[in-house]
Amino acid sequence: MTALDIPTIELNDGAKIPQLGLGVYLVEPGDTERVVSEALEAGYRHIDTAMIYENEREVGKAIAASGIPRDELFVTTKLWNTDQTRAPEAFAESLDKLGLERVDLYLIHWPQAMFGEALGAWRELIKIRESGRATSIGVSNFEIEDLQQIIDETGVVPAANQIELHPLHQRRELTGFCREQGIAIEAWGPLAQGKSDLLTRPEVIAAAEAHGKSPAQVLLRWHVQQGRIIFPKTTKRERLAENADIFDFALTDVEMAAIDAYEVGTNLGPDPRTFDVR
Ligand code: NDP
């Protein structure tokens, strides 16, 4: 199986992550092995899952069946909220389900600052990285104050912060802080989770027509042109190919600025500052 030629981003620990992958949130467990297998056949080498997606086992089956050498794959999973006080055990369970001896990136899924347990979890992730079973460690949905706390207390800067980010919600202050700290940005919901009118906006359609691309490709290109890591989710084979075919054109400054102007600052998913679901 031939890999797609996807650029990599160097993380602050020296590891390299493919800038584009496949996310499997809301991919049914019964569908996951097929979707991940089709993605790997299409040349994807980066898969983003999480314990709470309940499909780590099926991701692992597709990886095993592919026969692709482990070193050619980049696999991310995440520590769920209820597991912040038992990170070593939860991590071992995720590895077991994935059928892997190591993940490439392990993230704390939500800060849950109201419970005050993320710092302890971060200390455990540092040990997991030292053990070699996670090449890189990072966080997800962390605000500046959440990041500052774990950095101040441990001196270890997360390799990545995976946050809701799309043209309607660009998180400029947070991304600026991450840039200064050397924390890579992973944009979740890069297509606004299919919940917006972005794909039918005139500026997006005009850019798509100008470059012979689809509106979704224009939005994904807007992300990669800003150095972000993305893993749009789809269960459809033709969209797997479409979503990855974004490295042979460039949006102009004017086209980029038109999409930048969509910012309204509202999140489509939970607010990380108040998300207390466990
Ligand atoms: P996305 O922005 O990737 O949007 C997915 C939606 O867009 C689906 O409805 C999909 O439909 C549709 N879609 C995909 N490709 C196209 C296309 N080419 N044209 C038109 N529609 C398309 O949302 P996600 O929430 O899935 O985010 C991506 C990934 O980010 C997740 O899968 C997960 O890995 C991660 N994530 C992380 C979170 C966190 O808290 N850390 C929270 C949420 C997501 P269809 O499947 O029918 O193609």
Side-chain angles (χ1 to χ4, degrees), residues 176-195:
F177 177 83
C178 289
R179 197 175 313 112
E180 283 164 19
Q181 297 283 333
I183 302 169
I185 293 290
E186 299 194 315
W188 71 250
L191 296 169
Q193 301 192 305
K195 293 178 185 168

Side-chain angles (χ1 to χ4, degrees), residues 57-77:
R57 205 173 287 285
E58 292 73 20
V59 168
K61 279 187 194 163
I63 288 174
S66 75
I68 296 169
R70 177 68 186 88
D71 285 354
E72 293 175 22
L73 291 166
F74 194 103
V75 180
T76 298
T77 194

Side-chain angles (χ1 to χ4, degrees), residues 25-79:
Y25 175 49
L26 295 183
V27 182
E28 293 294 328
D31 215 10
T32 303
E33 187 176 353
R34 172 193 66 82
V35 173
V36 175
S37 295
E38 288 181 0
L40 296 174
E41 273 165 34
Y44 283 64
R45 292 295 179 266
H46 170 184
I47 308 293
D48 183 275
T49 185
M51 181 276 192
I52 200 67
Y53 302 169
E54 296 185 336
N55 54 22
E56 287 170 308
R57 205 173 287 285
E58 292 73 20
V59 168
K61 279 187 194 163
I63 288 174
S66 75
I68 296 169
R70 177 68 186 88
D71 285 354
E72 293 175 22
L73 291 166
F74 194 103
V75 180
T76 298
T77 194
K78 312 183 192 94
L79 176 74

Side-chain angles (χ1 to χ4, degrees), residues 78-208:
K78 312 183 192 94
L79 176 74
W80 185 239
N81 303 339
T82 39
D83 292 330
Q84 287 195 355
T85 54
R86 57 182 294 280
E89 293 82 3
F91 179 67
E93 289 159 14
S94 280
L95 279 188
D96 182 58
K97 285 187 207 148
L98 286 162
L100 299 176
E101 292 177 356
R102 158 187 89 76
V103 295
D104 296 277
L105 180 60
Y106 193 46
L107 305 177
I108 299 178
H109 207 142
W110 291 87
Q112 302 244 300
M114 62 293 290
F115 299 111
E117 293 167 356
L119 175 59
W122 184 241
R123 292 193 199 283
E124 294 298 335
L125 262 62
I126 294 168
K127 289 186 207 158
I128 288 168
R129 187 184 65 180
E130 283 165 357
S131 77
R133 290 169 304 149
T135 305
S136 301
I137 53 173
V139 295
S140 177
N141 301 302
F142 272 44
E143 299 290 316
I144 292 175
E145 52 274 24
D146 304 317
L147 291 163
Q148 197 70 65
Q149 186 203 23
I150 60 169
I151 295 168
D152 286 349
E153 294 291 333
T154 67
V156 178
V157 180
N161 189 15
Q162 183 177 124
I163 55 173
E164 180 185 343
L165 205 169
H166 43 73
L168 304 175
H169 191 55
Q170 299 180 31
R171 304 309 316 269
R172 289 187 184 130
E173 194 186 348
L174 177 57
T175 56
F177 177 83
C178 289
R179 197 175 313 112
E180 283 164 19
Q181 297 283 333
I183 302 169
I185 293 290
E186 299 194 315
W188 71 250
L191 296 169
Q193 301 192 305
K195 293 178 185 168
S196 77
D197 64 347
L198 285 170
L199 296 179
T200 55
R201 292 209 181 180
E203 298 81 3
V204 174
I205 290 174

